């Protein structure tokens, strides 16, 4: 805001060698600062670190060296005389001491003979820049909230430096900090992993740190590969790497070491895709996984792995495409025998998906662009269910709103209208390439599903199978949870052909955390569930389905509404009328809220079927 002013302390006597304090906010000398005054004159001053957008409100230690002022009466003056960006100052913990608190550089050496270094982290602690240095070269560099007060341990896999001397260098730490001394080498991952109180039990979450967009979904050599945007070193978005996990069944995931590391600090590995190049294609001597990703410092880059995504080597000629944009999706287009890259493109002040092509992954040719899409495109063709040979192409971007049309390898010709399938916490979804059976599986990021106080943050949505189906509104895309999830079903409770009256609750004897619920009912009024405190409600008057505060239009099919609901520790997912509408809604219930309820309001409802299966944990393997 526009408020300014100063705050002045009572006078006090200097009795120690140093005045230590935490300071942050604006970095404007004389305008956003803290001053030490002697006889009304400034004898020491300090500012926050920020003058540019994108800074941080974090406070850090600063010290004034004051032995020359010993015994003298002084006052502290905090000055806020600047408006606009960073027009404020943050100060805390002002104290006299004989020990200096100023943060300065710190180093520690390790001879690497173990797989991991455990790093102590506290969300909200001041951010430090950490480097791993081998033979005088910086091999990794990232930001980390390194701390003496351990909230949780994250880790770095350092096995590639086995037998070498690795120097950990931190740009600044208080002189009395024990954070570097608390870094430990180990062959074990940090304890309690996957046993945390809020850990989802059948949604993919990373072992440690922040997760967002799924990247490079591909089926290769009997494994589903899920790569994803990952900050291995903290709870918030930062330090973008490609995390990596594999599964045989899309349900039980095993997290592997980071797949892609940033080339250098500031050149992050942003989103992209992966695909299989067959032996003999463009000179590859074996089936090879290739990933296309945005290097924020260079452009769209290609990298290849011949060992199932465990190690990667960039292809020559990067960047393959250089432009204003990001998030390349690369597919093989059989009719033109070329690879097509669909990529988010900023052109003439507008947002597009651009199409580029190549016969050999070496030289890319711009083909065309289509307006009105933002980030993380996906492009694929599907048959229309029930028709003999009708097929349509699907194009969507990060918000999941899709168009149908035809794609000839050069241009996407869209039919009229953008359609919506997903509602709620859902963003940047991708589908798996190179599926052997033609099924089209999709995973999205459950954007905004947070896990406060945990060593991990954000989750993926459950994997779904996408199909195109003829409806009364035309052809639409449907999503249903993959059938492999049924392997988690335990004890089942069933009701058939019941009349549900107001005040009744067939689920009154059920409590728990993890459920798969299927129901089909007819109502002229309102039917709903309260699932551990989260309402899922269909209103016949509004023709609307709500889950929490998320709403979607829904009309009965043949006079009935059909719902499939998946309940996990951090979310509720609802699939209505065979997947015509899909919802992902985050929300952590209170720990004591374990009750389930199904209710009717107004008129009684005819419940044709109600099945509730208790789900077992998919326990992600370490």
């Amino acid at each position: 805001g526009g408020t300014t002013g100063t705050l002045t302390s009572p006078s006090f006597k200097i009795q120690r060698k140093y005045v230590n304090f935490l300071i942050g906010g604006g970095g404007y000398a004389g305008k956003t600062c803290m001053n030490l005054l002697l006889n009304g004159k400034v004898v020491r001053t300090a500012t926050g670190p920020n003058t540019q957008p994108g800074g941080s409100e974090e406070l850090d230690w600063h010290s004034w060296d004051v032995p020359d002022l010993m015994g003298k009466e002084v006052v502290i003056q905090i000055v806020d005389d600047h408006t606009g960006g960073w027009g404020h100052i943050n100060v805390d913990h002002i104290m006299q001491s004989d020990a200096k608190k100023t943060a300065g550089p710190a180093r520690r050496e390790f001879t690497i003979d173990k797989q991991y270094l455990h790093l102590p982290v506290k969300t909200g602690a001041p951010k430090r820049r950490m480097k791993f240095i081998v033979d005088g070269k910086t091999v990794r560099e990232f930001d980390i909230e390194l701390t003496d007060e351990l909230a949780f341990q994250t880790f770095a896999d350092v096995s590639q430096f086995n037998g070498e001397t690795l120097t950990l260098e931190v740009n600044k730490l208080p002189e009395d900090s024990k954070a570097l001394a608390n870094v430990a080498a180990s062959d074990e991952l940090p304890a309690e992993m996957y046993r945390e109180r809020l850990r989802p039990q059948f949604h993919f979450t990373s072992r440690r740190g922040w997760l967002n967009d799924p990247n490079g979904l591909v089926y290769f050599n009997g494994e589903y590969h899920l790569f994803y945007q990952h900050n291995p070193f903290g709870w918030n978005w930062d330090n973008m790497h490609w995390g990596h996990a594999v599964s045989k069944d899309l349900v039980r995931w095993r997290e592997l070491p980071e797949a892609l590391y940033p080339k250098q600090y500031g050149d992050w590995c942003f989103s992209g895709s992966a695909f299989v190049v067959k032996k003999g294609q463009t000179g590859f001597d074996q089936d090879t996984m290739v990933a296309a990703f945005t290097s924020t410092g260079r452009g769209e880059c290609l990298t290849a792995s011949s060992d199932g995504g465990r190690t990667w080597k960039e292809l020559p000629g990067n960047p393959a495409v250089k432009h204003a944009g990001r998030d390349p999706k690369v597919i093989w287009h059989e009719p033109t025998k070329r690879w097509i890259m669909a990529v988010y493109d900023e052109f003439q002040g507008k947002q597009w998906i651009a199409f580029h092509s190549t016969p050999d992954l070496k030289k890319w040719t711009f083909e065309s662009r289509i307006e009105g899409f933002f980030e993380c495109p996906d492009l694929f063709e599907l048959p229309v269910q029930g028709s003999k040979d009708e097929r349509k192409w699907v194009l969507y971007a990060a918000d999941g709103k899709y168009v149908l049309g035809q794609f000839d390898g050069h241009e996407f010709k869209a039919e009229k209208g953008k359609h919506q399938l997903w509602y709620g916490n859902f963003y940047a979804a991708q589908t798996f390439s190179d599926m052997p059976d033609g099924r089209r599986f999709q995973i999205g990021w459950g954007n905004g599903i947070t896990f406060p106080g945990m060593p991990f943050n954000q989750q993926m949505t459950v994997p779904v199978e996408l199909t195109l189906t003829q409806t009364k509104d035309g052809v639409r895309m449907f999503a249903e949870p993959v059938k492999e999830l049924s392997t988690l079903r335990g004890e089942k409770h069933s009701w058939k052909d019941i009349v549900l009256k107001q005040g009744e609750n067939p689920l009154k004897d059920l409590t728990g955390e993890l459920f798969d619920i299927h129901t089909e009912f007819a109502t002229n009024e309102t039917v709903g569930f309260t699932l551990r405190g989260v309402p899922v409600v269909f209103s016949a008057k509004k023709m609307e389905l709500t889950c929490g505060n998320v709403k979607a239009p829904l009309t009965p099919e043949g006079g009935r509404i059909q719902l499939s609901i998946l309940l996990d520790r951090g979310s509720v997912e609802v699939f209505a009328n065979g997947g015509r509408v899909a919802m992902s809604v985050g929300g952590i219930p209170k720990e004591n809220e374990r009750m389930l309820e199904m209710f009717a309001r107004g008129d009684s409802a005819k419940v044709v079927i109600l099945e509730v299966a208790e789900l077992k944990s998919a326990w992600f393997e370490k």
Side-chain angles (χ1 to χ4, degrees):
T3 49
T4 57
T6 60
L7 189 63
T8 306
S9 75
S11 70
F12 63 95
K13 194 178 280 186
I14 294 289
Q15 298 172 309
R16 299 273 192 276
K17 286 197 282 189
Y18 300 102
V19 176
N20 296 322
F21 50 91
L22 285 164
I23 192 163
Y28 298 98
K31 300 275 190 179
T32 55
C33 60
M34 185 169 91
N35 298 326
L36 190 65
L37 304 184
L38 175 67
N39 301 325
K41 288 197 173 139
V42 177
V43 290
R44 302 285 188 277
T45 187
T47 72
N50 301 291
T51 57
Q52 298 296 317
S56 161
E57 293 286 2
E58 285 149 2
L59 285 76
D60 214 342
W61 285 107
H62 194 89
S63 297
W64 286 326
D65 199 335
V66 289
D68 58 315
L69 303 177
M70 198 70 78
K72 298 194 170 157
E73 290 281 332
V74 293
V75 297
I76 293 228
Q77 179 191 51
I78 297 169
V79 180
D80 177 359
D81 190 26
H82 188 75
T83 57
W86 292 113
H88 63 275
I89 187 76
N90 306 325
V91 179
D92 202 359
H93 283 328
I94 304 167
M95 61 187 84
Q96 297 195 55
S97 174
D98 285 325
K100 196 175 179 180
K101 267 285 215 189
T102 299
R107 296 163 76 96
R108 184 178 167 197
E109 283 191 353
F110 288 85
T111 300
I112 300 301
D113 59 356
K114 299 213 163 19
Q115 184 169 359
Y116 303 109
L117 291 180
H118 290 191
L119 307 167
V121 169
K122 184 176 183 218
T123 304
K127 258 190 204 171
R128 311 297 181 190
R129 180 77 52 83
M130 182 177 269
K131 290 181 179 179
F132 289 2
I133 300 166
V134 176
D135 287 338
K137 285 200 185 96
T138 299
V139 291
R140 292 185 199 162
E141 187 176 2
F142 50 89
D143 291 324
I144 184 169
E145 294 160 313
L146 200 65
T147 179
D148 291 11
E149 314 160 62
L150 176 68
F152 65 88
Q153 285 176 316
T154 186
F155 60 90
D157 188 320
V158 289
S159 51
Q160 74 182 87
F161 310 116
N162 201 38
E164 300 190 74
T165 300
L166 178 75
T167 303
L168 260 59
E169 185 179 280
V170 181
N171 64 334
K172 48 183 187 173
L173 275 179
E175 288 179 12
D176 59 352
S177 170
K178 300 183 181 59
L180 264 188
N182 289 338
V183 173
S186 177
D187 280 324
E188 299 298 317
L189 289 161
E192 290 310 299
M193 203 167 277
Y194 301 124
R195 294 192 186 89
E196 302 92 344
R197 185 175 66 82
L198 298 181
R199 176 75 71 172
Q201 300 294 287
F202 57 91
H203 289 80
F204 180 79
T205 48
S206 197
R207 295 182 290 207
R208 285 291 187 266
W210 166 276
L211 150 166
N212 58 290
D213 311 354
N215 298 152
L217 304 189
V218 62
Y219 184 81
F220 183 69
N221 284 356
E223 288 180 319
Y224 295 98
H225 291 263
L226 166 61
F227 301 95
Y228 55 94
Q229 293 286 277
H230 189 211
N231 175 12
F233 305 115
W235 192 83
N236 289 299
W237 186 97
D238 207 351
N239 302 312
M240 282 296 110
H241 293 59
W242 270 31
H244 186 197
V246 292
S247 175
K248 299 279 190 198
D249 62 1
L250 289 167
V251 177
R252 296 161 184 84
W253 292 94
R254 180 165 60 92
E255 191 171 328
L256 298 175
E258 302 301 305
L260 303 185
Y261 285 90
K263 196 171 173 68
Q264 60 187 50
Y265 184 88
D267 184 354
W268 306 113
C269 300
F270 271 25
S271 294
S273 55
F275 53 99
V276 177
V277 178
K278 295 277 191 276
K279 179 180 176 179
Q281 273 186 311
T282 72
F284 282 77
D285 57 6
Q286 64 184 90
D287 287 1
T288 303
M289 207 190 294
V290 175
F293 70 99
T294 299
S295 151
T296 60
R298 294 177 290 160
E300 315 311 343
C301 291
L302 298 177
T303 185
S305 172
S306 54
D307 60 0
R310 275 64 172 175
T311 59
W312 294 85
K313 189 166 186 229
E314 289 202 9
L315 297 183
N318 281 334
V321 172
K322 197 161 176 53
H323 68 127
R326 55 187 173 274
D327 314 330
K329 172 74 178 195
V330 176
I331 65 166
W332 175 252
H333 187 253
E334 183 59 34
T336 57
K337 296 282 191 282
R338 295 173 314 155
W339 282 277
I340 304 294
M341 178 190 293
V343 65
Y344 169 61
D345 192 52
E346 293 174 349
F347 178 68
Q348 293 182 343
K350 295 177 182 171
Q351 297 176 332
W352 315 72
I353 290 172
F355 301 101
H356 300 259
S357 70
T358 180
D360 57 10
L361 298 179
K362 293 182 180 118
K363 184 169 168 32
W364 291 81
T365 305
F366 171 77
E367 294 287 349
S368 65
R369 51 172 70 85
I370 181 170
E371 197 191 340
F373 296 88
F374 179 68
E375 295 188 328
C376 305
D378 203 352
L379 172 69
F380 50 88
E381 191 184 26
L382 282 175
V384 177
Q385 301 283 301
S387 79
K388 207 167 172 194
D389 45 20
E390 190 184 7
R391 300 178 70 81
K392 288 183 187 287
W393 283 82
V394 181
L395 179 68
Y396 64 79
D399 67 1
K401 293 188 175 77
Y402 66 94
V403 293
L404 300 172
Q406 295 306 320
F407 182 68
D408 61 2
H410 305 284
E411 194 181 353
F412 193 97
K413 290 203 167 81
E415 297 169 9
K416 206 167 177 228
K418 249 189 193 182
H419 311 302
Q420 186 166 358
L421 165 59
W422 280 94
Y423 296 80
N425 299 98
F426 180 84
Y427 197 73
Q430 290 287 300
T431 60
F432 281 86
S433 74
D434 296 274
M435 288 290 298
D437 55 6
R439 290 202 286 168
R440 180 61 58 173
F441 292 152
Q442 179 192 59
I443 293 177
W445 164 35
N447 173 12
I449 299 180
T450 56
F451 296 95
M454 295 291 105
F456 60 90
N457 191 12
Q458 310 288 302
Q459 71 174 29
M460 294 303 176
T461 58
V462 292
V464 295
E465 182 173 356
L466 298 177
T467 51
L468 291 182
T469 301
Q470 188 71 52
T471 74
K472 62 180 186 301
D473 303 317
V475 174
R476 294 291 182 269
M477 191 157 68
F478 281 52
E480 286 200 276
V482 295
K483 57 180 186 277
E484 286 82 351
L485 278 161
S486 65
T487 60
L488 298 178
R489 284 190 195 134
E491 193 177 346
K492 202 161 89 172
H493 313 270
S494 299
W495 296 260
K496 273 191 175 153
D497 297 322
I498 58 173
V499 175
L500 184 60
K501 296 194 179 85
Q502 194 154 324
E504 294 179 346
N505 173 22
L507 307 181
K508 62 182 183 297
D509 297 327
L510 284 181
T511 62
E513 286 191 302
L514 314 175
F515 290 99
D516 183 358
I517 300 168
H518 293 268
T519 186
E520 199 175 309
F521 57 81
T523 181
N524 299 316
E525 298 270 346
T526 300
V527 170
F529 292 85
T530 310
L531 305 172
R532 300 190 63 202
V534 179
V536 178
V537 183
F538 172 72
S539 164
K541 287 205 163 58
K542 293 183 184 170
M543 291 292 172
E544 186 176 75
L545 180 67
T546 58
C547 177
N549 57 6
V550 175
K551 299 176 175 177
L554 185 66
T555 53
E557 297 279 331
R560 292 176 180 179
I561 292 292
Q562 183 198 359
L563 299 179
S564 293
I565 305 171
L566 290 166
L567 187 61
D568 201 348
R569 284 181 178 172
S571 63
V572 180
E573 280 161 324
V574 186
F575 300 88
N577 289 354
R580 175 82 164 83
V581 167
M583 286 180 163
S584 161
V585 180
I588 294 167
K590 296 187 184 75
E591 222 174 332
N592 56 0
E593 273 188 317
R594 301 175 75 84
M595 298 298 295
L596 305 186
E597 178 192 18
M598 185 181 190
F599 59 80
R601 289 200 195 113
D603 220 1
S604 62
K606 182 167 172 24
V607 180
V608 182
I609 190 151
L610 171 61
E611 279 184 2
V612 181
E614 298 177 31
L615 293 179
K616 301 184 291 254
S617 166
W619 280 130
F620 308 101
E621 300 170 51
K622 281 193 187 180

